[in-house]
Amino acid sequence: MSILFTDRELKRAWRQLTKTSQPPNNAKRENTHRLLLFYAVECGLKVIWLKDKSKTLFTKDDIRQTGHDLAKTLTLLKAGHQLELPINIQLADVRAGDGAMLPRHGGLESLHEVWRYGGECQAPEDTVCEQQLERVLEWINGELR
């Protein structure tokens, strides 16, 4: 995010993304919904970040400190251990062109890539990541009322 955004814009995005992250008619959540859930949490945390700093503009310095790392942002916000998110995610290994098996893992900041590109988390599973993000979203709702 190199373009700067205001707290009002981020709050509006948080609300819209939260609403859109819910699948229609209580259907199973797909990666598209999960991706929007991730971004809803990210926007909500950034609004709380600004509120805690008594700021209205999310600057490049704020971006450097938080990025897409929701776990780090929760820690910086002192949200508490009950809201801890997984630090690492693991996908199934893939076969390279030469037949070698390549591991696929990364930090939580890569979760949006997994869901954006159609991946499937194995450890923790997608549903566990969803549940943890939903808990964070509940906390955000309480903080932004």
Side-chain angles (χ1 to χ4, degrees):
M1 182 165 81
S2 59
I3 298 174
L4 307 181
F5 288 94
T6 67
D7 58 343
R8 282 195 218 179
E9 291 168 321
L10 289 167
K11 195 169 192 176
R12 185 173 50 246
W14 159 68
R15 285 187 184 122
Q16 292 170 342
L17 289 163
T18 297
K19 182 179 177 182
T20 311
S21 73
Q22 301 300 321
N25 304 321
N26 295 324
K28 181 182 171 210
R29 190 177 256 149
E30 302 287 336
N31 275 4
T32 306
H33 301 106
R34 292 180 185 120
L35 181 60
L36 297 176
L37 173 63
F38 179 95
Y39 286 130
V41 169
E42 182 178 5
C43 289
L45 290 177
K46 288 177 178 181
V47 174
I48 294 170
W49 174 271
L50 290 175
K51 181 179 168 187
D52 284 356
K53 302 233 180 267
S54 299
K55 294 172 59 174
T56 58
L57 186 65
F58 202 79
T59 66
K60 290 181 182 187
D61 185 51
D62 298 314
I63 295 165
R64 272 192 297 280
Q65 291 182 57
T66 60
H68 289 293
D69 193 338
L70 305 182
K72 178 183 173 187
T73 305
L74 280 167
T75 300
L76 291 171
L77 289 171
K78 297 176 177 63
H81 294 293
Q82 74 277 10
L83 294 176
E84 285 184 355
L85 294 171
I87 301 300
N88 296 303
I89 53 173
Q90 178 81 35
L91 283 71
D93 295 347
V94 293
R95 188 172 308 280
D98 63 1
M101 294 303 287
L102 301 174
R104 296 189 297 165
H105 51 82
L108 181 65
E109 69 277 1
S110 299
L111 186 57
H112 67 102
E113 293 178 58
V114 173
W115 291 338
R116 183 172 64 223
Y117 298 129
E120 184 177 320
C121 289
Q122 291 191 330
E125 294 178 354
D126 287 328
T127 55
V128 172
C129 292
E130 278 178 48
Q131 292 165 356
Q132 290 173 308
L133 288 172
E134 285 286 355
R135 283 195 352 254
V136 174
L137 204 54
E138 287 175 27
W139 177 77
I140 292 168
N141 286 331
E143 292 292 310
L144 296 180
R145 285 186 195 187

